Amino acid sequence: MFDPRDPAFLADPYPTFAALREAGEVHRHDGLGLAIAVSHGAASQVLRHRGLGRIWTDAAPAERFVSFNLLHRNSLLENEPPAHTRLRRSIAGAFARGHVERLRPTVRALATDMVEELAEKIASDGEADLLELLAEPLPVQVIAELLAVPPADRELLVPWSNAIVKMYEYGLPEAGQQAAERAAGEFAGYLRELAADRAGNPGDDLISDLVRAELTGDEVVATAVLLLMAGHEATVNVLGNGVHALLRHPGQWRRLVADPALTDTAVEELIRFDAPLQLFERTATTDLEIAGFRVAEGEKIAALLGAAARDPAVFDRPDELDLGRAPNPHLGFGAGIHYCVGAPLARMEIAAALSALAERLPGLRPAAEPRRRPEFVIRGLRTLPVRA
């Protein structure tokens, strides 16, 4: 079985996933302490089965992780019905008030400006880091616009998000755990102040809508944190992993440059080809079976999304990048009741970035080997040097 900290595995986990699929649809991974579903069918069952839930267990010892646990205990992602139903109804209702469409011109302008800065940096220095100048700043600026975070405070958001999400990895050192709790406390405190301000001075933003909805103060804070962490991490890594894949398949990049109509299917294919979220856990609320594998009540099982995305039973030539692939039933945004509520916004951001890159930098190519993040669950790059 694979070691999730092995650099060779992290560089390219997909041959290992293929071998696991050949051996069976579900396996016990003793190192992770749970079962993993590696076929598309089994992973889809894990995400949709009503006998499997997101049952939050406080990080321990609880007194050391007060803020981290509070954010997750009140999160849409970590609750099941009836709490999940109430939270999702309020959050989806807020999103349905036109926030995504309202932001479309802003997202397009942000992406265009950032790609222009990237092009200028390449022109002056010969190369530039696409992660630093586009993939990382774009989603955080979009989420900040969605929440109407004051511009002077926006530089605080990424460090908070980066510290908190490291708690989702396996074997995080003590210093990382302390940093995650500290970031959770600071982020929660900041958002409480922002929500209190919006309660008295509502605006045309998502926090104002959440304050007006049937949410507690803790739920408003937890929802805003979830939107930033999920929206930021997913989009950063789809853009980083995706552009890296395009530059390693220059024929597909030229195809996108020549045919902008491929942008929407390209977004879906980049999410599938190198999944930004590799693993999603669920807990059994009753005894059940997934693809013949028995899961007892209280035991955990995870959908290994990266493996499901390369399943040849569902995807023709799954190890090939095909920007015109359709249909493309990837599970990158989840499935079932926990399907990502921010998926339309993420798709819009990724499409805007790809369109701006193809138009302004059609000759984009690698400048050096990128550096990869040393984490397994959230798969991404630290740098992506490019030239044109």
Side-chain angles (χ1 to χ4, degrees):
M1 195 62 72
F2 61 84
D3 178 352
R5 293 165 296 185
D6 177 13
F9 167 75
L10 293 175
D12 185 6
Y14 298 106
T16 300
F17 294 165
L20 285 171
R21 278 195 313 270
E22 286 291 320
E25 294 190 78
V26 183
H27 302 271
R28 175 74 188 177
H29 193 300
D30 291 332
L32 299 178
L34 44 67
I36 51 173
V38 297
S39 72
H40 187 281
S44 182
Q45 286 184 56
V46 168
L47 297 175
R48 300 174 191 276
H49 200 297
R50 294 309 307 132
L52 291 167
R54 291 289 291 187
I55 311 301
W56 175 252
T57 302
D58 280 352
E63 62 272 15
R64 282 184 47 216
F65 298 103
V66 174
S67 297
F68 180 84
N69 287 332
L70 181 143
L71 291 179
H72 291 77
R73 205 182 299 127
N74 291 280
S75 170
L76 172 70
L77 186 62
E78 306 297 350
N79 277 280
E80 292 295 304
H84 177 275
T85 306
R86 178 180 59 81
L87 286 167
R88 190 172 183 99
R89 184 187 301 119
S90 296
I91 295 164
F95 262 101
R97 293 188 183 97
H99 287 294
V100 173
E101 283 308 310
R102 171 177 67 84
L103 287 174
R104 190 175 295 277
T106 300
V107 173
R108 189 180 300 116
L110 284 168
T112 299
D113 289 348
M114 290 176 187
V115 169
E116 183 60 36
E117 184 180 354
L118 180 72
E120 291 173 359
K121 181 76 169 174
I122 292 171
S124 64
D125 297 355
E127 64 178 66
D129 184 357
L130 187 139
L131 262 292
E132 177 188 359
L133 297 177
L134 176 63
E136 289 179 346
L138 178 61
V140 76
Q141 288 294 333
V142 172
I143 297 295
E145 290 285 340
L146 180 70
L147 302 177
V149 174
D153 297 338
R154 294 180 181 184
E155 64 182 18
L156 300 169
L157 302 182
V158 172
W160 281 336
S161 175
N162 286 346
I164 294 170
V165 299
K166 283 187 170 54
M167 277 288 281
Y168 307 149
E169 299 296 333
Y170 293 87
L172 183 67
E174 174 72 19
Q177 296 179 26
Q178 292 176 0
E181 171 60 18
R182 185 165 54 251
E186 292 173 0
F187 202 175
Y190 175 80
L191 287 168
R192 284 189 201 288
E193 292 182 6
L194 207 59
D197 177 70
R198 300 292 156 74
N201 302 285
D204 185 21
D205 62 273
L206 192 62
I207 287 185
S208 294
D209 284 343
L210 294 174
V211 169
R212 286 190 289 261
E214 298 175 6
L215 301 181
T216 68
D218 287 344
E219 288 168 348
V220 170
V221 169
T223 299
V225 170
L226 173 64
L227 288 171
L228 175 72
M229 292 194 305
H232 173 252
E233 290 292 334
T235 306
V236 168
N237 294 320
V238 171
L239 284 173
N241 296 347
V243 174
H244 178 45
L246 285 168
L247 299 185
R248 291 173 59 212
H249 299 80
Q252 291 296 308
W253 172 245
R254 290 192 295 270
R255 186 181 176 194
L256 179 63
V257 168
D259 186 2
L262 283 173
T263 301
D264 288 344
T265 55
V267 170
E268 304 305 315
E269 178 68 346
L270 296 182
I271 295 168
R272 179 201 74 86
F273 186 76
D274 199 5
L277 178 66
Q278 290 280 308
L279 179 143
F280 192 69
E281 290 185 7
R282 306 296 291 271
T283 301
T285 58
T286 186
D287 294 347
L288 53 89
E289 288 190 1
I290 297 292
F293 187 95
R294 298 187 66 181
V295 185
E297 180 180 354
E299 290 184 344
K300 288 181 178 292
I301 184 171
L304 195 55
L305 302 178
R310 300 286 187 101
D311 189 342
V314 175
F315 302 100
D316 185 37
R317 298 170 287 105
D319 294 322
E320 293 184 21
L321 185 69
D322 177 4
L323 299 190
R325 187 183 297 274
N328 192 342
H330 65 77
L331 301 171
F333 287 119
I337 67 168
H338 287 291
Y339 184 82
C340 177
V341 71
L345 184 61
R347 286 185 166 108
M348 185 172 71
E349 293 174 51
I350 298 161
L354 291 177
S355 295
L357 284 169
E359 182 175 337
R360 180 65 178 84
L361 293 168
L364 195 69
R365 58 192 191 276
E369 276 298 307
R371 287 194 297 121
R372 182 162 295 284
R373 289 170 52 160
E375 294 100 18
F376 160 58
V377 175
I378 297 174
R379 178 171 173 79
L381 302 173
R382 280 185 168 170
T383 64
L384 182 55
V386 294
R387 54 194 175 120

